Amino acid sequence: MANPFEYAPAPESRSIVDVAPSYGLFVDGEFVDGSGETLKTVNPATEEVLSEVAVGTEADVDRAVRAARRAYTRVWGPMRPADRGKYLFRIARILQERAREFAVLESLDNGKPIRESRDVDVPLAAAHFFHHAGWADKLAYAGLGPDPRPHGVAGQVIPWNFPLLMLAWKVAPALATGNTVVLKPAETTPLTALLFAQVCQQADLPPGVVNVVTGAGETGRAVVEHADVDKVAFTGSTEVGRSIARAVAGTRKVLTLELGGKAANIVFDDAPVDQAVEGIVRGIFFNQGHVCCAGSRLLVQESVHDEVIASLQRRIGTLRVGDPLDKNTDIGAINSHQQLERIRELVGIGEAEGAQRWQPACDLPDRGYWFPPTVFTDVSPAHRIARDEVFGPVLSVLTFRTPDEAVAKANNTTYGLSAGVWTEKGSRILAIADRLRAGVVWANTFNQFDPTSPFGGYKQSGYGREGGRQGLAAYLKGASH
Amino acid sequence: MTDRLAVRKTSKLYLGGAFPRSESGRTYAVTDARGAFLANAAWASRKDARDAVVAARGAFAKWSGATAYNRGQVLYRVAEVMEGRQAQFCEEVAAGEGLSAGRARAVVDAAVDRWVWYAGWTDKLASVLGSANPVAGPFFDFSTPEPTGVVAVLAPQRSSLLGLVSVLAPVLAGGNTAVVVTSRDRPLPAVTLGEVLATSDVPGGVVNLLTGDAGEIGPWLAEHDDVDAIDLTGAPPAQAMELERLAAGSIKRVLRPPAEEPDWSADPGLSRMTPFLETKTVWHPIGL
């Protein structure tokens, strides 16, 4: 029988993007050569080298921090807040105008489906700048004290899963509150940050207010450990988060961390199954599961387990895995070879520990980094795939009988970033949400984000919030959120 | 009358709502500001600290789940019971801190009033710190403050009562439970506060008071995986950085110590509550 979900390819043109063969660092308003080595950034869907970027050295980072300090002291700090806001509005508008360019570039460098970069990453990034632009001259009304002051220079290190969006989450509030920025994008996804640097030029943002230093872990360490950085913000793994927390211990630097997660997505027996299945898919297969708040543990009430799993498998069978630039693609490429190995290792452990692996029949491209959507059933809470963050399209299914058991299992993790609840009963939603130790709870939905909505974790998922009034506190001195 | 032999008090820990001796059997001599012997205090050990964390974790669900109104009444009750023990507190503060009777009285009054101030905060935090978030989509999205969990508190070394209450009450007001290491040299007001807490309505385990040395017990608490946050106010200055590094192991929230012990009579604002509060955001779809 012919698959009724066959679609003709509908690739987005990449001609809108002009990727240079190499990029320098963006320091003090211009692109400059780095003093160290370079690294190649590849398209994970094809393994084609897209460009070479500089690996920022300690000296490069120092140059960037000095530029940021100068800009803070002379220009950005003294500037009328309303004018700071206007620059952010400009940036938001340019991001909207160049949205297609950013979306294509993001999908090329990251491997995520164009449907997501076009409909989620880029519009949300623009929205973050637009939202925070308005805060710039209204900080006195934020309930964070009568005259909240910026820290100074913010050193920001961001991950590869939402390169532009995480940049926006970091840069927009920092600038709105009057800080200047040294940003270190992820090693495997530097290109949209470099395009953003061009946007800063296009907006006539004063030199030094935003500096982009590309590189890998050592470059990030240099940013975090630079003595003249006042504020450190990091999104990434809990392991790196720990080392950063140790590095800033005993200094005057203030720190916010947005780390890993192992979110429970709880489905009660009264939930509408079709909606819940859509939410489960959105929870774990969005962005190939490269999402810190991914709903990677499905907790399904025992009485509906078989029905939910059958429906879920049917739905997963219709997901299209392949070319990220194809507008029909649901699941793109795994971001890097290293991440693919990590996913394979944990999936192997899942099988070895006795969980049942299920994957749909699915053709994967010959080149590039790919992993099919995967569901493990018969998972016990002690299994590694129920405890470790896989950061890939791998769902672990556990069951429960009572609401108490659901809450206990959901909270049985060192993480506490997000959770989901699916039920028709409003009072149950509120009771469960109350008891979940997680920073974001989605009820009958999943993976929703908005610049007005604070995001961040409990426990070892980090501290501090991004977004909303509460998110501003991270960038203001002595601010109580 | 004059020939009556005094009944001396054995000073103990306050742990899980009971008053045990240190499991280590250790005690140490507490002297007044001039060096004269006052009492032997229990010298808490690593095991006591770990027991205290278990007690605090056990008490967390009930305390954090109580209504804000209820928590406010319980904290106000602490102030009421403390007021009745005013004379005893004045005597202990005067002896330990070397204050005149008048100054000691002012300190005790301020400590009682601090409980009243925080009692009044419990049911205002969500209004002041929470928000309804106008997201760009068909969702009702709101954020509320929630307690971080089990908080280890290294209480101030100098201000043995007002300082202690100033660091403990805000932790409780937010719905956390606490493991407190008291002032090492001036532990007696803390011991009496434990008796106040035990006879007010604070559930056992919500507050655990360990008399002893923050320098010795601090590292065990800082690296304990079931402690969610640590207040380093009373940490030995030379050790603060190491404690912060240890706390990084389980991503604890750390309230760094001030450069020097602050003036505890100043208005504390929200600065001691928000470090031990998380923001939870809940999204609900809107639809027919």
Side-chain angles (χ1 to χ4, degrees):
Chain A
M1 188 176 94
N3 184 344
F5 290 100
E6 274 318 328
Y7 282 66
E12 176 70 59
S13 166
R14 60 184 282 180
S15 64
I16 194 168
V17 171
D18 187 16
V19 183
S22 70
Y23 289 92
L25 309 169
F26 183 65
V27 175
D28 213 8
E30 41 189 57
F31 285 92
V32 299
D33 291 338
S35 63
E37 319 218 308
T38 60
L39 62 81
K40 294 181 170 67
T41 183
V42 304
N43 178 345
T46 60
E47 299 177 56
E48 154 210 12
V49 174
L50 292 169
S51 184
E52 268 187 50
V53 302
V55 176
T57 62
E58 262 183 54
D60 295 327
V61 168
D62 184 57
R63 198 152 40 132
V65 173
R66 284 168 193 271
R69 173 64 60 192
R70 264 196 313 279
Y72 173 71
T73 314
R74 296 183 192 166
V75 187
W76 199 246
M79 186 180 289
R80 276 200 308 260
D83 288 348
R84 284 204 308 262
K86 283 182 177 172
Y87 278 112
L88 293 186
F89 280 122
R90 270 191 194 176
I91 290 171
R93 280 297 197 232
I94 296 171
L95 286 176
Q96 290 171 332
E97 285 163 9
R98 301 178 70 172
R100 180 165 299 217
E101 194 180 345
F102 270 102
V104 172
L105 185 61
E106 197 75 304
S107 283
L108 281 175
D109 203 18
N110 169 279
K112 67 173 67 201
I114 187 77
R115 185 167 61 83
E116 291 177 8
S117 51
R118 180 195 64 201
D119 295 349
V120 181
D121 295 62
V122 178
L124 266 180
H128 265 266
F129 278 97
F130 200 90
H131 173 73
H132 285 93
W135 271 124
D137 58 355
K138 298 167 193 70
L139 297 174
Y141 302 95
L144 302 168
D147 183 26
R149 308 295 306 163
H151 294 294
V153 176
Q156 308 180 317
V157 179
I158 57 172
W160 46 260
N161 56 343
F162 296 92
L164 180 71
L165 184 57
M166 291 301 104
L167 175 151
W169 282 26
K170 295 278 181 289
V171 173
L175 298 192
T177 48
N179 300 275
T180 57
V181 164
V182 176
L183 178 88
K184 208 290 283 181
E187 177 182 358
T188 59
T189 56
L191 295 183
T192 46
L194 293 164
L195 186 59
F196 178 80
Q198 292 174 21
V199 168
C200 293
Q201 289 179 320
Q202 196 183 342
D204 288 328
L205 190 71
V209 172
V210 170
N211 303 273
V212 179
V213 183
T214 50
E218 283 306 304
T219 310
R221 183 195 308 273
V223 171
V224 167
E225 295 185 358
H226 194 289
D228 203 35
V229 163
D230 302 294
K231 153 82 198 165
V232 175
F234 171 75
T235 296
S237 72
T238 293
E239 186 189 343
V240 175
R242 273 189 200 104
S243 69
I244 291 176
R246 287 191 188 105
V248 305
T251 70
R252 63 189 168 78
K253 292 173 194 171
V254 290
L255 176 64
T256 42
L257 297 171
E258 203 272 271
L259 307 175
K262 192 73 190 177
N265 203 358
I266 305 170
V267 178
F268 283 95
D269 59 6
D270 67 337
V273 171
D274 289 347
Q275 275 181 43
V277 163
E278 287 308 308
I280 295 163
V281 167
R282 186 187 177 97
I284 186 60
F285 301 123
F286 176 59
N287 202 32
Q288 295 73 248
H290 301 328
V291 184
C292 47
C293 52
S296 53
R297 285 186 298 153
L298 175 63
L299 298 185
V300 57
Q301 197 153 18
E302 211 172 80
S303 51
V304 292
H305 173 272
D306 294 352
E307 182 190 356
V308 168
I309 297 305
S311 181
L312 178 65
Q313 290 178 343
R314 205 161 45 239
R315 177 69 180 90
I316 292 172
T318 68
L319 294 175
R320 289 177 294 274
V321 184
D323 180 9
L325 287 187
D326 191 318
K327 292 166 200 159
N328 294 323
T329 292
D330 296 301
I331 299 180
I334 300 303
N335 179 252
S336 66
H337 180 68
Q338 191 190 3
Q339 187 58 28
L340 182 58
E341 286 305 305
R342 158 96 180 154
I343 295 167
R344 284 176 174 156
E345 183 196 342
L346 278 163
V347 165
I349 291 171
E351 285 183 277
E353 289 186 338
Q356 299 300 312
R357 176 174 63 86
W358 178 88
Q359 290 165 329
C362 148
D363 293 330
L364 299 177
D366 298 332
R367 301 202 60 196
Y369 315 129
W370 304 94
F371 201 84
T374 302
V375 176
F376 275 106
T377 49
D378 292 338
V379 178
S380 106
H383 287 167
R384 286 276 301 279
I385 50 168
R387 310 195 71 79
D388 291 10
E389 185 176 40
V390 178
F391 223 62
V394 180
L395 180 68
S396 298
V397 183
L398 297 91
T399 59
F400 67 91
R401 291 184 180 176
T402 64
D404 282 346
E405 187 187 354
V407 169
K409 282 185 167 164
N411 288 338
N412 180 16
T413 166
T414 56
Y415 296 113
L417 188 52
S418 65
V421 186
W422 297 83
T423 169
E424 277 291 87
K425 195 173 171 189
S427 59
R428 180 186 281 157
I429 290 173
L430 295 173
I432 299 289
D434 243 14
R435 294 167 61 194
L436 290 170
R437 303 290 292 161
V440 183
V441 178
W442 288 292
N444 294 326
T445 183
F446 210 95
N447 275 344
Q448 301 287 346
F449 310 97
D450 192 276
T452 66
S453 179
F455 182 93
Y458 284 34
K459 300 198 279 186
Q460 297 193 29
S461 288
Y463 38 74
R465 291 293 177 270
E466 294 180 291
R469 192 185 66 75
Q470 292 86 344
L472 296 173
Y475 289 96
L476 292 166
K477 260 183 204 159
S480 309
H481 60 78
Chain B
M1 185 86 190
T2 50
D3 60 354
R4 179 178 177 273
L5 191 64
V7 178
R8 287 186 183 159
K9 180 171 151 188
T10 308
S11 159
K12 299 192 196 175
L13 307 175
Y14 179 52
L15 207 161
F19 294 95
R21 293 187 169 83
S22 170
E23 62 78 36
S24 65
R26 302 181 306 179
T27 60
Y28 67 110
V30 177
T31 60
D32 70 12
R34 294 206 188 85
F37 178 82
L38 286 173
N40 284 314
W43 184 3
S45 66
R46 173 191 180 185
K47 178 71 162 70
D48 295 322
R50 296 170 71 93
D51 290 347
V53 173
V54 171
R57 177 59 64 195
F60 178 70
K62 185 178 173 193
W63 183 243
S64 62
T67 64
Y69 177 51
N70 180 241
R71 276 205 304 273
Q73 290 192 94
V74 169
L75 297 186
Y76 184 77
R77 177 74 181 154
V78 175
E80 288 179 336
V81 177
M82 224 182 134
E83 184 100 347
R85 294 252 207 157
Q86 196 183 55
Q88 184 183 358
F89 277 115
C90 284
E91 196 178 308
E92 287 168 350
V93 167
E97 300 184 18
L99 301 180
S100 69
R103 289 286 307 282
R105 171 74 193 261
V107 165
V108 173
D109 288 350
V112 174
D113 291 352
R114 184 115 318 153
W115 283 110
V116 175
W117 149 267
Y118 281 114
W121 259 118
T122 57
D123 59 358
K124 284 125 198 119
L125 285 171
S127 309
V128 170
L129 300 176
S131 53
N133 309 311
V135 297
F139 297 96
F140 171 52
D141 178 291
F142 67 101
S143 299
T144 46
E146 288 203 343
T148 295
V150 172
V151 180
V153 178
L154 307 185
Q157 295 299 333
R158 296 164 63 107
S159 183
S160 58
L161 181 66
L162 180 56
L164 172 67
V165 172
S166 298
V167 296
L168 173 60
V171 167
L172 302 185
N176 301 285
T177 57
V179 175
V180 183
V181 184
T182 69
S183 166
R184 185 191 59 188
D185 296 339
R186 303 170 176 179
L188 299 188
V191 173
T192 305
L193 182 66
E195 293 165 11
V196 165
L197 294 167
T199 53
S200 56
D201 298 321
V202 180
V206 170
V207 181
N208 304 276
L209 297 168
L210 304 173
T211 51
D213 185 0
E216 180 195 339
I217 305 170
W220 303 122
L221 292 170
E223 71 174 8
H224 197 303
D225 276 356
D226 212 24
V227 171
D228 297 296
I230 186 164
D231 175 354
L232 297 179
T233 298
Q239 208 182 34
M241 177 175 158
E242 179 56 22
L243 291 171
E244 191 179 341
R245 288 178 61 89
L246 288 171
S250 63
I251 314 289
K252 288 181 186 65
R253 290 85 177 110
V254 175
L255 185 59
R256 289 176 176 156
E260 51 190 70
E261 204 173 304
D263 171 11
W264 294 109
S265 64
D267 175 357
L270 296 174
S271 64
R272 292 202 150 266
M273 286 189 284
T274 54
F276 309 117
L277 293 172
E278 309 289 322
T279 295
K280 178 184 278 177
T281 299
V282 181
W283 293 66
H284 289 276
I286 294 172
L288 296 173

